[in-house]
Amino acid sequence: MTLPNRWASQLAALAAWLGAALSLGWWFGGTGWWLCGALSVYTAHTLRNIATLDHVLDGHKRVPLFVTRGLWAEIFARVDKVRAKARNRKKKYHRLLREVRESTGALSDGGIILNAEHEILWFNPAATRLLGLDPATDIGHRLDNLLRHPDFVAYIAAPTPEGITIPSPKEESGWLTVQIIPYGQDQRLAIVRDITREIQLERTRRDFVANASHELRSPLTVISGYLDALGDDDEMPEGWRAPVTEMQRQAERMTQILRDLIELTRLESAEHEAAHEFVDVAGMLQLIAREFQVAGNRPAVELTLETDAALLGSESELHSIFHNLVSNAVRFTPAMGTVRVYWKADDLGALFEVVDTGIGIAEEQIPRITERFYRVDPGRSRATGGTGLGLAIVKHALQRHAGTLNIRSREGEGSTFSCRFPSSRLVFRAGAARAVL
């Protein structure tokens, strides 16, 4: 193996040094003593360079200038180069850190870095403004000890991607959203955002819709009354009957929209969960199924009760959930199709499921179909009397019962709507048996 030039020159210098010692020993006598002395000098020189290198690596000393050639000169030159790179890298990191702090300081949203024990490692000025945190005293403390709202304490123990909305600890009428994002090694980033304005705008919109809906009911009732009177008048000209009938249909549709708007506003405005009244779900579903089985030119509706379990909740809201989902399935399923309704119970709670063989829903539309007035097929919805509010009502009524809505569908292959109710709202009765209607 060929030695590098620096090591070859170092070995050559050592050989020359020892050769000189041998020559002097041969000339003056005592060759062994001369060799020992030469090795001692070489060892002392090497130890001094090692000690200097140790101090240089520790950062206590600059690279010595007395070494100008040979192996040690190259070693110290390489050390000096490495140290220069480290200094430049450190300056770069400090500059980047300063820019990050300046940018986070300019953010309107609060940012808090937490460790695995929820202890605060760092936060930006916005977190101080929103939560009242003090950099001098709150670093190292658990965030849930400083922000003691019960909902937040439960959320930080089991964070979800959706985050949580809590009242502001600094402003009496303020509201904040907190989202905790895991990253790195056992670290978390808490993002705090002030949504007071959004909440106020939403309340204003909701109040406007509620007030407008209530105000429109009276004139619409009067209009509907006169239209009914005209429709019942035997002396009305024959050419007027079709327009009056259409006006009656549209007035009824507007009345239904107002009813749904008022119901949706009530659900959105409710601050507490639904009541815990005993609701006979099996009996309610049987009545709903019979309602859609009576009329002709509709798909077959099959009800399967796999349990007689009841729910604790609001009877009117639960009826609205079940009726809207079955009505939607019937509306968007051809007359030769089938709508199957299931009521089940398991260890996770209760499951209400509607499976149809209808037109289906495109995948990109599924996240939006619970929005108010959103329609998968606007023309068909209007033709069949849909208001575009049914699924929005279902979503909010389910939330008041701590339930969740899951939608599975493929365009042209039908849809499945599943409502999951928690076991805390489920009541089992003795003698449960499977019944098929």
Coordinates of all heavy atoms in Angstrom, one line a residue, residues 274-340:
A274 N -77.7 17.1 23.1 CA -79.1 16.8 23.1 C -79.5 16.2 24.4 O -78.7 15.6 25.2 CB -79.4 15.9 22.0
A275 N -80.8 16.3 24.7 CA -81.4 15.7 25.9 C -81.2 14.2 25.9 O -80.9 13.6 24.9 CB -82.9 16.1 26.0
H276 N -81.4 13.6 27.1 CA -81.3 12.1 27.3 C -82.7 11.5 27.5 O -82.9 10.9 28.5 CB -80.3 11.8 28.4 CG -78.9 12.0 28.1 ND1 -78.4 13.2 27.9 CD2 -77.9 11.1 27.9 CE1 -77.1 13.1 27.6 NE2 -76.8 11.8 27.6
E277 N -83.6 11.8 26.5 CA -84.9 11.2 26.6 C -84.9 9.8 26.0 O -84.1 9.5 25.0 CB -85.9 12.1 25.9 CG -86.0 13.5 26.4 CD -86.8 14.4 25.5 OE1 -87.2 13.9 24.4 OE2 -86.9 15.6 25.8
F278 N -85.7 8.9 26.5 CA -85.8 7.5 26.0 C -86.5 7.6 24.6 O -87.6 8.1 24.5 CB -86.6 6.6 26.9 CG -86.7 5.2 26.5 CD1 -85.7 4.3 26.7 CD2 -87.8 4.8 25.7 CE1 -85.7 3.0 26.3 CE2 -87.9 3.5 25.3 CZ -86.8 2.6 25.6
V279 N -85.9 7.1 23.6 CA -86.4 7.1 22.2 C -86.5 5.6 21.7 O -85.4 5.0 21.6 CB -85.6 8.0 21.3 CG1 -86.2 7.9 19.9 CG2 -85.5 9.4 21.8
D280 N -87.7 5.2 21.4 CA -87.8 3.8 20.8 C -87.5 3.9 19.3 O -88.3 4.2 18.5 CB -89.3 3.4 21.0 CG -89.5 2.0 20.4 OD1 -88.5 1.3 20.1 OD2 -90.7 1.6 20.4
V281 N -86.2 3.6 19.0 CA -85.7 3.7 17.6 C -86.4 2.7 16.7 O -86.8 3.0 15.6 CB -84.2 3.5 17.6 CG1 -83.7 3.5 16.2 CG2 -83.5 4.6 18.4
A282 N -86.6 1.5 17.2 CA -87.2 0.4 16.4 C -88.6 0.8 15.9 O -88.9 0.7 14.7 CB -87.2 -0.9 17.1
G283 N -89.4 1.3 16.9 CA -90.7 1.8 16.5 C -90.7 2.9 15.6 O -91.5 3.0 14.6
M284 N -89.8 3.9 15.8 CA -89.7 5.1 14.9 C -89.3 4.6 13.5 O -89.9 5.1 12.5 CB -88.7 6.0 15.5 CG -88.5 7.3 14.7 SD -87.2 8.3 15.3 CE -87.9 8.9 16.9
L285 N -88.4 3.7 13.4 CA -87.9 3.3 12.0 C -89.0 2.5 11.3 O -89.2 2.6 10.1 CB -86.7 2.5 12.1 CG -85.4 3.2 12.6 CD1 -84.2 2.2 12.7 CD2 -85.1 4.3 11.7
Q286 N -89.8 1.8 12.0 CA -90.9 1.1 11.4 C -91.9 2.0 10.8 O -92.4 1.8 9.7 CB -91.6 0.1 12.4 CG -90.7 -1.1 12.8 CD -91.4 -1.9 13.9 OE1 -92.3 -1.4 14.5 NE2 -90.8 -3.1 14.2
L287 N -92.2 3.1 11.5 CA -93.2 4.1 11.0 C -92.6 4.8 9.8 O -93.3 5.1 8.8 CB -93.5 5.1 12.1 CG -94.3 4.6 13.3 CD1 -94.4 5.7 14.3 CD2 -95.7 4.1 12.9
I288 N -91.3 5.2 9.8 CA -90.7 5.8 8.7 C -90.7 4.9 7.5 O -91.0 5.3 6.3 CB -89.3 6.3 9.0 CG1 -89.3 7.4 10.1 CG2 -88.5 6.8 7.8 CD1 -87.9 7.8 10.6
A289 N -90.4 3.6 7.7 CA -90.3 2.7 6.5 C -91.7 2.5 5.9 O -91.9 2.5 4.7 CB -89.8 1.3 7.0
R290 N -92.8 2.4 6.7 CA -94.1 2.3 6.2 C -94.5 3.6 5.4 O -95.2 3.5 4.4 CB -95.1 2.1 7.4 CG -95.0 0.7 8.0 CD -96.2 0.5 8.9 NE -96.1 -0.8 9.6 CZ -95.7 -0.9 10.9 NH1 -95.4 0.2 11.6 NH2 -95.6 -2.1 11.4
E291 N -94.1 4.7 5.9 CA -94.4 6.0 5.1 C -93.9 5.9 3.7 O -94.6 6.4 2.8 CB -93.8 7.2 5.9 CG -93.9 8.5 5.2 CD -93.2 9.6 5.9 OE1 -92.8 9.5 7.1 OE2 -93.0 10.7 5.2
F292 N -92.7 5.4 3.5 CA -92.1 5.4 2.2 C -92.5 4.1 1.4 O -92.3 4.0 0.2 CB -90.6 5.5 2.2 CG -90.1 6.8 2.7 CD1 -89.7 7.1 4.0 CD2 -90.1 7.9 1.8 CE1 -89.3 8.3 4.4 CE2 -89.6 9.1 2.1 CZ -89.3 9.4 3.4
Q293 N -93.1 3.2 2.1 CA -93.6 2.0 1.4 C -95.0 2.1 0.8 O -95.3 1.4 -0.1 CB -93.6 0.8 2.3 CG -92.1 0.3 2.7 CD -92.2 -0.7 3.8 OE1 -93.1 -0.8 4.5 NE2 -91.1 -1.5 3.9
V294 N -95.7 3.1 1.3 CA -97.1 3.2 0.9 C -97.2 3.8 -0.5 O -98.0 3.2 -1.3 CB -97.9 4.2 1.9 CG1 -99.3 4.5 1.3 CG2 -98.0 3.5 3.3
A295 N -96.5 4.9 -0.8 CA -96.6 5.5 -2.1 C -96.1 4.6 -3.2 O -95.1 3.9 -3.0 CB -96.0 6.9 -2.1
G296 N -96.6 4.7 -4.4 CA -96.2 3.9 -5.5 C -95.1 4.7 -6.3 O -94.7 5.8 -5.9
N297 N -94.6 4.0 -7.3 CA -93.5 4.6 -8.2 C -92.3 5.0 -7.4 O -91.7 6.0 -7.6 CB -94.1 5.8 -9.0 CG -93.2 6.2 -10.1 OD1 -92.5 5.3 -10.7 ND2 -93.1 7.4 -10.5
R298 N -92.0 4.2 -6.4 CA -90.8 4.4 -5.5 C -90.0 3.1 -5.4 O -90.6 2.1 -5.5 CB -91.2 5.0 -4.2 CG -91.6 6.4 -4.1 CD -91.9 6.8 -2.7 NE -92.1 8.3 -2.6 CZ -92.5 8.9 -1.5 NH1 -92.6 8.2 -0.4 NH2 -92.6 10.2 -1.5
P299 N -88.7 3.2 -5.0 CA -88.0 2.0 -4.8 C -88.5 1.3 -3.6 O -89.1 1.9 -2.7 CB -86.5 2.5 -4.6 CG -86.7 3.9 -4.1 CD -87.9 4.5 -4.8
A300 N -88.2 0.0 -3.5 CA -88.6 -0.8 -2.3 C -87.7 -0.4 -1.1 O -86.5 -0.2 -1.3 CB -88.4 -2.3 -2.6
V301 N -88.4 -0.3 0.0 CA -87.7 0.1 1.2 C -87.8 -1.1 2.2 O -88.9 -1.6 2.6 CB -88.3 1.3 1.9 CG1 -87.6 1.6 3.2 CG2 -88.2 2.5 1.0
E302 N -86.6 -1.7 2.5 CA -86.5 -2.8 3.4 C -85.9 -2.4 4.7 O -84.8 -1.9 4.7 CB -85.7 -3.9 2.7 CG -86.3 -4.4 1.4 CD -85.4 -5.4 0.7 OE1 -84.4 -5.8 1.3 OE2 -85.8 -5.9 -0.4
L303 N -86.5 -2.7 5.8 CA -86.0 -2.4 7.1 C -85.6 -3.7 7.9 O -86.4 -4.6 8.0 CB -87.1 -1.7 8.0 CG -86.7 -1.4 9.4 CD1 -85.5 -0.5 9.6 CD2 -88.0 -0.8 10.2
T304 N -84.4 -3.7 8.3 CA -83.9 -4.8 9.1 C -83.4 -4.3 10.5 O -82.6 -3.5 10.6 CB -82.6 -5.5 8.4 OG1 -83.0 -5.9 7.1 CG2 -82.1 -6.7 9.2
L305 N -84.1 -4.9 11.5 CA -83.8 -4.5 12.9 C -83.0 -5.6 13.5 O -83.6 -6.7 13.8 CB -85.1 -4.2 13.7 CG -86.0 -3.1 13.2 CD1 -87.3 -3.1 13.9 CD2 -85.3 -1.8 13.2
E306 N -81.7 -5.4 13.7 CA -80.9 -6.5 14.3 C -80.8 -6.3 15.8 O -80.1 -7.1 16.5 CB -79.5 -6.4 13.7 CG -79.5 -6.7 12.2 CD -78.1 -6.8 11.6 OE1 -77.1 -6.8 12.4 OE2 -78.0 -6.9 10.4
T307 N -81.5 -5.3 16.4 CA -81.5 -5.1 17.8 C -82.7 -4.3 18.2 O -83.3 -3.5 17.3 CB -80.2 -4.4 18.4 OG1 -80.4 -4.2 19.8 CG2 -80.1 -3.0 17.7
D308 N -83.2 -4.4 19.4 CA -84.3 -3.5 19.8 C -83.8 -2.4 20.7 O -84.6 -1.8 21.5 CB -85.4 -4.3 20.5 CG -85.0 -4.9 21.8 OD1 -83.8 -4.9 22.1 OD2 -85.8 -5.3 22.6
A309 N -82.5 -2.2 20.7 CA -81.9 -1.2 21.5 C -82.5 0.2 21.3 O -82.8 0.5 20.1 CB -80.4 -1.2 21.3
A310 N -82.7 1.0 22.3 CA -83.2 2.3 22.2 C -82.0 3.3 22.4 O -80.9 3.0 22.8 CB -84.3 2.6 23.2
L311 N -82.3 4.6 22.1 CA -81.3 5.6 22.3 C -81.8 6.6 23.3 O -83.0 6.8 23.5 CB -81.1 6.4 21.0 CG -80.2 5.6 19.9 CD1 -80.2 6.5 18.7 CD2 -78.8 5.3 20.4
L312 N -80.9 7.3 24.0 CA -81.1 8.4 24.9 C -80.8 9.7 24.1 O -79.6 9.9 23.8 CB -80.3 8.3 26.1 CG -80.6 7.1 27.0 CD1 -79.6 7.1 28.2 CD2 -82.0 7.1 27.5
G313 N -81.8 10.4 23.8 CA -81.6 11.6 23.0 C -82.9 12.4 22.8 O -83.9 12.2 23.5
S314 N -82.8 13.3 21.8 CA -84.0 14.1 21.4 C -84.8 13.4 20.4 O -84.3 13.1 19.3 CB -83.6 15.5 20.9 OG -84.6 16.2 20.3
E315 N -86.1 13.1 20.7 CA -86.9 12.3 19.7 C -87.1 13.0 18.4 O -86.9 12.4 17.3 CB -88.3 12.0 20.3 CG -89.1 11.2 19.4 CD -90.4 10.7 20.1 OE1 -90.6 11.1 21.3 OE2 -91.2 10.0 19.5
S316 N -87.3 14.3 18.4 CA -87.5 15.1 17.2 C -86.3 15.1 16.3 O -86.3 15.0 15.1 CB -88.0 16.5 17.5 OG -87.0 17.2 18.2
E317 N -85.1 15.3 17.0 CA -83.8 15.3 16.2 C -83.5 14.0 15.7 O -83.0 13.9 14.5 CB -82.7 15.9 17.1 CG -82.9 17.3 17.5 CD -81.9 17.9 18.5 OE1 -80.8 17.2 18.6 OE2 -82.1 18.9 19.1
L318 N -83.7 12.9 16.4 CA -83.4 11.6 15.9 C -84.3 11.2 14.8 O -83.9 10.6 13.8 CB -83.5 10.6 17.0 CG -82.4 10.6 18.1 CD1 -82.8 9.6 19.2 CD2 -81.1 10.3 17.5
H319 N -85.6 11.6 14.9 CA -86.5 11.4 13.8 C -86.1 12.2 12.5 O -86.1 11.6 11.4 CB -87.9 11.8 14.2 CG -89.0 11.6 13.1 ND1 -89.2 12.4 12.1 CD2 -89.8 10.5 12.9 CE1 -90.1 11.9 11.3 NE2 -90.5 10.8 11.8
S320 N -85.6 13.4 12.7 CA -85.1 14.2 11.6 C -83.9 13.5 10.9 O -83.8 13.5 9.7 CB -84.7 15.6 12.1 OG -84.2 16.3 11.0
I321 N -83.0 12.9 11.7 CA -81.8 12.2 11.2 C -82.3 11.0 10.3 O -81.9 10.9 9.1 CB -80.9 11.7 12.3 CG1 -80.2 12.9 13.0 CG2 -79.8 10.8 11.8 CD1 -79.5 12.5 14.3
F322 N -83.1 10.2 10.9 CA -83.5 8.9 10.2 C -84.3 9.2 9.0 O -84.2 8.7 7.9 CB -84.3 8.0 11.2 CG -83.5 7.6 12.4 CD1 -84.1 7.5 13.6 CD2 -82.1 7.5 12.3 CE1 -83.4 7.1 14.8 CE2 -81.4 7.1 13.5 CZ -82.0 6.9 14.7
H323 N -85.3 10.2 9.1 CA -86.2 10.5 8.0 C -85.5 11.1 6.9 O -85.7 10.8 5.7 CB -87.3 11.4 8.6 CG -88.4 11.6 7.6 ND1 -88.4 12.5 6.5 CD2 -89.7 11.0 7.5 CE1 -89.5 12.4 5.8 NE2 -90.3 11.5 6.4
N324 N -84.6 12.1 7.2 CA -83.8 12.7 6.1 C -83.0 11.7 5.3 O -82.9 11.8 4.1 CB -82.9 13.8 6.7 CG -83.7 15.2 6.8 OD1 -84.2 15.7 5.8 ND2 -83.7 15.7 8.0
L325 N -82.3 10.8 6.0 CA -81.4 9.9 5.3 C -82.2 8.9 4.4 O -81.9 8.6 3.3 CB -80.6 9.1 6.3 CG -79.5 10.0 6.9 CD1 -78.7 9.1 7.9 CD2 -78.5 10.6 5.9
V326 N -83.3 8.4 5.0 CA -84.2 7.5 4.2 C -84.8 8.3 3.0 O -84.9 7.8 1.9 CB -85.3 6.9 5.1 CG1 -86.2 6.0 4.2 CG2 -84.6 6.0 6.2
S327 N -85.3 9.5 3.3 CA -85.9 10.3 2.2 C -84.9 10.6 1.1 O -85.3 10.5 -0.1 CB -86.4 11.6 2.8 OG -86.9 12.5 1.8
N328 N -83.7 10.9 1.4 CA -82.7 11.2 0.4 C -82.4 9.9 -0.4 O -82.3 10.0 -1.7 CB -81.4 11.6 1.0 CG -81.3 13.1 1.3 OD1 -82.2 13.8 0.9 ND2 -80.3 13.6 2.0
A329 N -82.3 8.7 0.2 CA -82.0 7.5 -0.5 C -83.2 7.2 -1.4 O -83.0 6.8 -2.6 CB -81.8 6.4 0.5
V330 N -84.4 7.4 -1.0 CA -85.6 7.1 -1.9 C -85.6 8.1 -3.0 O -85.9 7.7 -4.2 CB -86.9 7.2 -1.0 CG1 -88.1 7.2 -1.9 CG2 -86.9 6.1 0.0
R331 N -85.3 9.3 -2.8 CA -85.3 10.4 -3.8 C -84.3 10.1 -4.9 O -84.6 10.4 -6.1 CB -85.1 11.7 -3.2 CG -85.3 12.9 -4.2 CD -85.0 14.2 -3.5 NE -85.9 14.5 -2.4 CZ -85.5 14.6 -1.2 NH1 -84.2 14.6 -0.9 NH2 -86.3 14.8 -0.2
F332 N -83.2 9.6 -4.6 CA -82.1 9.4 -5.6 C -81.9 8.0 -6.0 O -80.9 7.6 -6.6 CB -80.8 10.0 -5.1 CG -80.8 11.5 -4.9 CD1 -81.0 12.0 -3.7 CD2 -80.6 12.3 -6.0 CE1 -81.0 13.4 -3.5 CE2 -80.6 13.7 -5.9 CZ -80.8 14.2 -4.6
T333 N -82.9 7.1 -5.8 CA -82.9 5.7 -6.2 C -84.0 5.5 -7.2 O -85.2 5.9 -6.9 CB -83.0 4.8 -5.0 OG1 -82.0 5.0 -4.1 CG2 -83.0 3.3 -5.5
P334 N -83.8 4.9 -8.4 CA -84.8 4.6 -9.3 C -85.9 3.7 -8.7 O -85.7 3.0 -7.7 CB -84.1 3.9 -10.5 CG -82.6 4.3 -10.3 CD -82.4 4.5 -8.8
A335 N -87.1 3.8 -9.4 CA -88.2 3.0 -8.9 C -87.9 1.5 -8.8 O -88.5 0.8 -8.0 CB -89.5 3.3 -9.8
M336 N -87.1 1.0 -9.7 CA -86.8 -0.4 -9.7 C -85.6 -0.8 -8.7 O -85.3 -1.9 -8.6 CB -86.4 -0.9 -11.1 CG -87.5 -0.7 -12.2 SD -89.0 -1.6 -11.7 CE -88.4 -3.2 -11.9
G337 N -85.1 0.2 -8.0 CA -84.0 0.0 -7.1 C -84.5 -0.4 -5.7 O -85.7 -0.7 -5.5
T338 N -83.6 -0.5 -4.8 CA -83.9 -0.9 -3.4 C -83.1 0.0 -2.4 O -82.0 0.4 -2.6 CB -83.4 -2.3 -3.2 OG1 -84.0 -3.2 -4.2 CG2 -83.8 -2.8 -1.8
V339 N -83.8 0.3 -1.3 CA -83.3 1.1 -0.2 C -83.3 0.2 1.0 O -84.4 -0.2 1.4 CB -84.0 2.4 0.0 CG1 -83.4 3.1 1.3 CG2 -83.9 3.3 -1.2
R340 N -82.2 -0.2 1.6 CA -82.2 -1.1 2.8 C -81.8 -0.2 4.0 O -80.7 0.5 3.9 CB -81.2 -2.2 2.5 CG -81.6 -3.2 1.4 CD -80.6 -4.3 1.3 NE -81.1 -5.3 0.3 CZ -80.8 -5.2 -1.0 NH1 -80.1 -4.2 -1.5 NH2 -81.3 -6.1 -1.8

